Amino acid sequence: MNNPITRSTDETCNIVQDLLPLYYDDVCSPSSKRLVEKHLKACEKCQNTYNELKNDSIDSMIKKEADSVLKQHEKKEKTAAYKAGVIIAGLLLIPILITFIVCLSNGGGLNTFAVVTASMLLVAAMTAIPLMAQQKKLTKCIICGVFALLLIFFFVDKMYSSNEFMLWSVPTIFGLSIVLFPFVIRGIELPAALSDKKALITMLWDTLWLFLTIIEVCGHTNDAAGMKAGCIIAFVFVIAAWLIFFDARYLNTNRFIKSAIIVLIVSVWTAFADDVCEFFIFGTRQITIKSVDFSDWTSDICVNANVYTIVLVSGVIIASILFAAGIISLKAHKKTNVSGL
């Protein structure tokens, strides 16, 4: 007959060996953990099983080999991409050389050659550079592309002696900056003191180029009145943009209160920005919403007043609701923290 003691020991070993993986990962219950530890002290068989479980040298070797294979594959892919970039760059040289030869054979200037060269640089910025760059591909692609585009403007301006290089370049940089500068600044390593201020730098950059664009466009046509009006209008709306930025980026409160402030800023600026601009440009003192008349949607002044009033009232109501939700959220959060202590 089977020895009851031996059968009981075997059952305990089976239970413990089932628990060993959980014990090794430290995810079993306290009672199971005590059972395993007590059994391991007396059972050499289960001790050996546990030691084998702890020996992860095979897993480490497999992982190391897998990492090595992945690195080799990555290296091959980078090499192939680099070769493709070199080939594309070489192909782009062909129209440049043809244009150079044609310009020399005709005895003409090299203006056309310069424009074609700059155009090929722009194509290379979109194709060859992303393949050849090892890091920060998007940043390098954008910088090289903008540089090539400015070269095109420069050589075309020289070709036709139009003296409009700045007129073309400044608005172009401003337009591209709005979309692309956040990606560029994200990929640039800044000093530690500025590393957390990339959003602020982006706002400063876009604001600078906005005013440079107004000054350049109006200055090119000697339109002093237009420059004054453009700068005043831009300044009024840039203030709103900066207030929204500081609220969203730096105000230390919850999202409901931040959203309430943004809604309030937008609604107030929509209702009164035109009046402020009219005052500083023409010296006209007016408050458009005073002409509100919801029974009249025919005259421009009433339409503007009605729309501004609707936006203002709606904004105040929405902002009030968001403020209330924010205050409730703050109180609930504070209560949770107090109860947690």
Side-chain angles (χ1 to χ4, degrees):
M1 295 180 63
N2 293 331
N3 190 333
I5 298 177
T6 303
R7 185 168 63 251
S8 175
T9 302
D10 291 341
E11 290 178 354
T12 304
C13 284
N14 291 335
I15 294 172
V16 169
Q17 290 194 16
D18 288 340
L19 291 173
L20 280 178
L22 300 176
Y23 175 77
Y24 175 75
D25 293 331
D26 196 23
V27 293
C28 61
S29 64
S31 58
S32 298
K33 185 176 181 180
R34 288 192 295 270
L35 172 64
V36 172
E37 291 176 346
K38 181 179 179 181
H39 181 78
L40 287 177
K41 293 178 180 178
C43 180
E44 183 177 354
K45 177 184 175 182
C46 289
Q47 285 180 1
N48 292 335
T49 302
Y50 181 62
N51 290 332
E52 290 176 0
L53 184 64
K54 290 195 298 182
N55 184 8
D56 60 349
S57 58
I58 296 178
D59 293 338
S60 299
M61 183 176 64
I62 293 174
K63 184 177 183 300
K64 186 180 294 185
E65 290 179 356
D67 291 340
S68 176
V69 171
L70 290 174
K71 287 181 179 179
Q72 290 179 0
H73 179 71
E74 183 181 3
K75 185 177 181 180
K76 289 181 179 178
E77 290 294 325
K78 288 183 177 179
T79 302
Y82 184 82
K83 290 180 179 178
V86 172
I87 292 173
I88 292 173
L91 292 174
L92 294 176
L93 287 175
I94 295 175
I96 295 176
L97 293 175
I98 293 174
T99 306
F100 179 73
I101 294 171
V102 171
C103 289
L104 289 182
S105 62
N106 290 337
L110 297 179
N111 288 329
T112 303
F113 165 72
V115 173
V116 173
T117 302
S119 301
M120 293 301 100
L121 286 176
L122 180 59
V123 177
M126 302 295 110
T127 55
I129 289 178
L131 292 172
M132 299 174 66
Q134 297 297 318
Q135 295 178 342
K136 302 175 181 177
K137 295 183 178 182
L138 181 59
T139 301
K140 293 178 180 178
C141 177
I142 292 172
I143 293 175
C144 292
V146 172
F147 177 74
L149 186 61
L150 294 179
L151 277 181
I152 294 173
F153 290 164
F154 177 78
F155 291 129
V156 170
D157 180 63
K158 292 298 181 183
M159 179 185 296
Y160 295 103
S161 301
S162 58
N163 295 321
E164 294 184 343
F165 171 70
M166 294 300 295
L167 179 64
W168 301 336
S169 300
V170 174
T172 299
I173 293 176
F174 171 60
L176 293 175
S177 294
I178 294 176
V179 179
L180 301 177
F181 189 76
F183 298 100
V184 174
I185 194 69
R186 184 179 180 182
I188 295 177
E189 294 182 4
L190 298 176
L194 298 175
S195 59
D196 62 340
K197 295 180 176 60
K198 291 186 176 182
L200 179 61
I201 294 173
T202 301
M203 285 292 294
L204 289 170
W205 176 271
D206 289 341
T207 301
L208 171 65
W209 283 99
L210 169 61
F211 284 100
L212 286 177
T213 298
I214 295 171
I215 293 171
E216 175 59 33
V217 171
C218 295
H220 188 79
T221 57
N222 296 319
D223 185 3
M227 184 184 300
K228 176 186 174 182
C231 288
I232 289 174
I233 294 171
F235 182 76
V236 170
F237 285 97
V238 162
I239 289 177
W242 274 95
L243 288 175
I244 292 172
F245 168 73
F246 278 113
D247 169 63
R249 182 68 177 85
Y250 295 109
L251 191 62
N252 186 21
T253 186
N254 60 43
R255 63 182 182 275
F256 293 108
I257 295 179
K258 285 186 176 183
S259 300
I261 295 174
I262 291 174
V263 170
L264 200 58
I265 292 171
V266 172
S267 58
V268 169
W269 250 254
T270 301
F272 299 109
D274 186 56
D275 297 334
V276 174
C277 292
E278 286 283 337
F279 174 74
F280 284 106
I281 296 173
F282 304 108
T284 305
R285 296 177 181 271
Q286 67 177 32
I287 299 179
T288 303
I289 61 174
K290 284 185 176 181
S291 302
V292 61
D293 183 359
F294 292 116
S295 64
D296 183 6
W297 291 85
T298 57
S299 63
D300 292 340
I301 185 66
C302 286
V303 170
N304 290 339
N306 294 344
V307 171
Y308 293 165
T309 302
I310 292 172
V311 171
L312 181 61
V313 173
S314 301
V316 171
I317 294 173
I318 295 172
S320 300
I321 295 172
L322 290 172
F323 267 120
I327 292 172
I328 293 172
S329 178
L330 285 175
K331 289 182 177 179
H333 183 68
K334 184 177 180 180
K335 185 177 180 180
T336 302
N337 291 339
V338 171
S339 61
L341 294 176

